[in-house]
């Protein structure tokens, strides 16, 4: 039956050859209606050092009409290329995108020109932050560690997600000095919902094992908080936590205000990954080692994995990512301190 329909269709096309012409013209109309063709033109500008591209949806040039065109700034073709003694990383560096191929051969470390801090050199260029500030690291060990991240980049592309120390350094040098009050406010806003203050119910058969493990592993950390700050934390059987004593809140806030930029950047990164400011402070004060902190963070989930099994491509990636975030922030914190 299908063959007979095809034969009838071909015969009707032979008897009416204009059908194809009509169909072709209609398809072109629909193509113009349902596709957008981006064309570029350079309108006249009073500033000869700049140029603008106009992208329209109909393939025609427009001037100053209401066509909802999109204007994108482009570099001037008349600008001359000049050699530079520094290299500035784009803002995409902070988002994790691949920023381009490796453009340098040798990575070195030298003391900053003003004698304050250490700089990383890519060939003859001095490395700068995304906002074009000199990347002056406080200690030589931290500078060497950042230089090692640049040294181990592949030739086919620079991968910022493999450079956690560089990212933390940019955060400490750029974002923390400008947003310090907001960073502290954000950390204190979530303090009452800290991971170590949330306790699984003891009277539930499904969560009794989790509660016993939390008492065993987390209570020593809470005892340390009481001895360190003079106030005993209150635990709650709620995802939303509960109100802590004003004295403890004030003591933690004062501690954050006394930190330097590198310490606050590291604490903020660890608290974000751990969902716990107390664990971050414990690492900062030397109470917790990296392995101990990761065990506390994953305590409940690891019990679930032991009972129900590990999901490949899920739990294993979460564990690896957590180890990178906590370890890199802890290493950054240690290397940034002047001995």
């Amino acid at each position: 039956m299908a063959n007979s329909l095809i034969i009838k269709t071909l015969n009707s096309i032979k008897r009416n050859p204009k059908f194809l012409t009509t169909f072709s013209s209609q398809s072109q109309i629909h193509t113009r209606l349902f596709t957008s063709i981006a064309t570029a033109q350079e309108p006249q500008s009073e500033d000869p050092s700049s140029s603008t591209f106009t992208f329209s949806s109909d393939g025609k040039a427009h001037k100053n009409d209401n066509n909802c065109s999109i204007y994108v700034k482009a570099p001037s073709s008349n600008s001359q290329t000049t050699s530079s003694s520094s290299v500035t990383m784009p803002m995409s560096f902070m988002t994790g995108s691949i920023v381009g191929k490796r453009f340098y051969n040798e990575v070195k470390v030298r003391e900053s020109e003003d004698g304050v801090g250490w700089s990383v050199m890519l060939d003859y260029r001095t490395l700068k932050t995304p906002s074009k500030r000199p990347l002056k690291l406080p200690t030589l060990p931290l500078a060497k560690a950042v230089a090692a991240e640049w040294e181990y980049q592949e030739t086919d592309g620079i991968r910022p997600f493999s450079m956690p120390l560089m990212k933390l350094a940019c955060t400490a040098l750029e974002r923390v000095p400008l947003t310090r009050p907001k960073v502290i406010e954000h950390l204190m806003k979530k303090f009452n919902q800290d991971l170590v203050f949330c306790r699984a119910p003891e009277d539930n058969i499904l969560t009794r094992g989790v509660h016993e493990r939390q008492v065993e592993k987390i209570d020593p950390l809470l005892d340390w908080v009481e001895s360190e700050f003079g106030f005993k934390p209150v635990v709650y059987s709620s995802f939303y936590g509960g109100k802590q004593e004003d004295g403890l809140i004030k003591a933690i806030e004062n501690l954050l205000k006394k930190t330097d930029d590198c310490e606050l950047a590291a604490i903020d990164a660890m608290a974000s990954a751990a969902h716990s400011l107390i664990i971050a402070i414990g690492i900062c004060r030397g109470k917790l080692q990296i392995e101990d902190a990761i065990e506390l963070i994953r305590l409940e989930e690891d019990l679930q994995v032991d009972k129900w099994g590990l999901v490949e491509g899920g739990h294993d990636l979460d564990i690896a990512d957590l180890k990178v975030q906590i370890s890199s922030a802890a290493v950054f914190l240690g290397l940034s301190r002047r001995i």
Side-chain angles (χ1 to χ4, degrees):
M1 182 174 178
N3 289 335
S4 62
L5 289 175
I6 294 174
I7 293 172
K8 289 180 181 179
T9 303
L10 292 175
N11 289 333
S12 63
I13 292 175
K14 290 179 180 179
R15 289 192 298 270
N16 188 13
K18 294 183 178 180
F19 172 79
L20 291 176
T21 306
T22 306
F23 179 80
S24 176
S25 62
Q26 291 179 349
S27 64
Q28 292 177 3
I29 294 173
H30 289 293
T31 300
R32 287 195 296 269
L33 288 175
F34 292 100
T35 61
S36 60
I37 305 171
T39 59
Q41 67 173 5
E42 292 193 26
Q44 297 295 328
S45 174
E46 296 179 359
D47 184 6
S49 63
S50 64
S51 60
T52 305
F53 290 103
T54 306
F55 291 89
S56 63
S57 60
D58 58 0
K60 297 180 181 180
H62 296 279
K63 293 184 179 180
N64 294 327
D65 55 349
N66 298 325
N67 57 10
C68 298
S69 300
I70 303 173
Y71 295 92
V72 181
K73 188 93 176 206
S76 174
S77 59
N78 297 327
S79 60
Q80 297 180 353
T81 303
T82 58
S83 60
S84 174
S85 60
S86 65
V87 55
T88 303
M89 297 313 301
M91 288 306 297
S92 58
F93 184 89
M94 302 297 289
T95 64
S97 304
I98 296 179
V99 298
K101 293 184 178 181
R102 176 168 173 162
F103 53 88
Y104 54 91
N105 296 317
E106 187 179 13
V107 183
K108 294 185 292 186
V109 174
R110 74 174 186 184
E111 192 173 7
S112 301
E113 295 180 356
D114 57 3
V116 180
W118 299 83
S119 299
V120 177
M121 304 293 297
L122 305 181
D123 292 334
Y124 61 89
R125 306 176 182 89
T126 302
L127 185 62
K128 290 188 176 182
T129 64
S131 63
K132 300 183 180 180
R133 296 181 180 181
L135 185 70
K136 294 196 297 184
L137 300 165
T139 65
L140 178 59
L142 180 58
K144 288 183 176 181
V146 172
E149 289 184 334
W150 284 94
E151 178 64 33
Y152 283 97
Q153 293 301 304
E154 301 292 339
T155 56
D156 62 336
I158 297 175
R159 293 165 171 79
F161 49 82
S162 66
M163 307 169 71
L165 297 179
M166 175 66 184
K167 184 176 181 179
L168 285 167
C170 291
T171 301
L173 294 175
E174 291 195 320
R175 295 188 177 181
V176 172
L178 298 177
T179 61
R180 169 175 281 270
K182 290 186 177 180
V183 173
I184 296 175
E185 180 184 357
H186 177 73
L187 289 172
M188 297 308 303
K189 184 178 181 180
K190 296 186 176 182
F191 179 66
N192 288 324
Q193 290 80 40
D194 197 288
L195 175 68
V196 300
F197 300 153
C198 298
R199 188 62 52 90
E202 184 181 8
D203 56 352
N204 191 312
I205 189 173
L206 296 176
T207 60
R208 188 176 302 159
V210 178
H211 177 87
E212 293 174 355
R213 193 68 178 273
Q214 288 175 329
V215 171
E216 176 189 355
K217 296 294 183 178
I218 297 180
D219 277 8
L221 179 61
L222 299 181
D223 294 338
W224 171 81
V225 172
E226 182 180 8
S227 63
E228 191 79 2
F229 300 102
F231 298 92
K232 184 176 179 62
V234 183
V235 296
Y236 298 87
S237 297
S238 171
F239 289 113
Y240 303 101
K243 187 75 169 63
Q244 296 296 321
E245 290 190 44
D246 293 337
L248 179 60
I249 294 175
K250 191 66 176 177
I252 296 295
E253 187 175 4
N254 289 336
L255 183 148
L256 296 177
K257 290 179 179 179
K258 294 178 182 179
T259 57
D260 59 35
D261 293 339
C262 289
E263 289 175 338
L264 186 57
I267 290 175
D268 183 47
M270 289 188 289
S272 177
H275 304 288
S276 171
L277 179 57
I278 292 296
I279 290 178
I281 293 175
I283 297 175
C284 181
R285 289 291 188 96
K287 170 61 179 177
L288 293 175
Q289 299 298 317
I290 295 174
E291 296 81 4
D292 299 331
I294 292 175
E295 182 183 6
L296 293 182
I297 297 167
R298 291 195 48 82
L299 187 148
E300 184 173 353
E301 190 169 352
D302 283 343
L303 289 175
Q304 297 293 335
V305 170
D306 293 341
K307 183 176 182 179
W308 304 106
L310 182 141
V311 178
E312 294 185 0
H315 292 129
D316 50 351
L317 295 181
D318 291 341
I319 295 171
D321 181 64
L322 179 63
K323 288 181 177 179
V324 170
Q325 294 187 56
I326 298 297
S327 301
S328 59
V331 170
F332 176 82
L333 179 64
L335 294 178
S336 65
R337 288 173 169 169
R338 298 179 177 89
I339 300 176

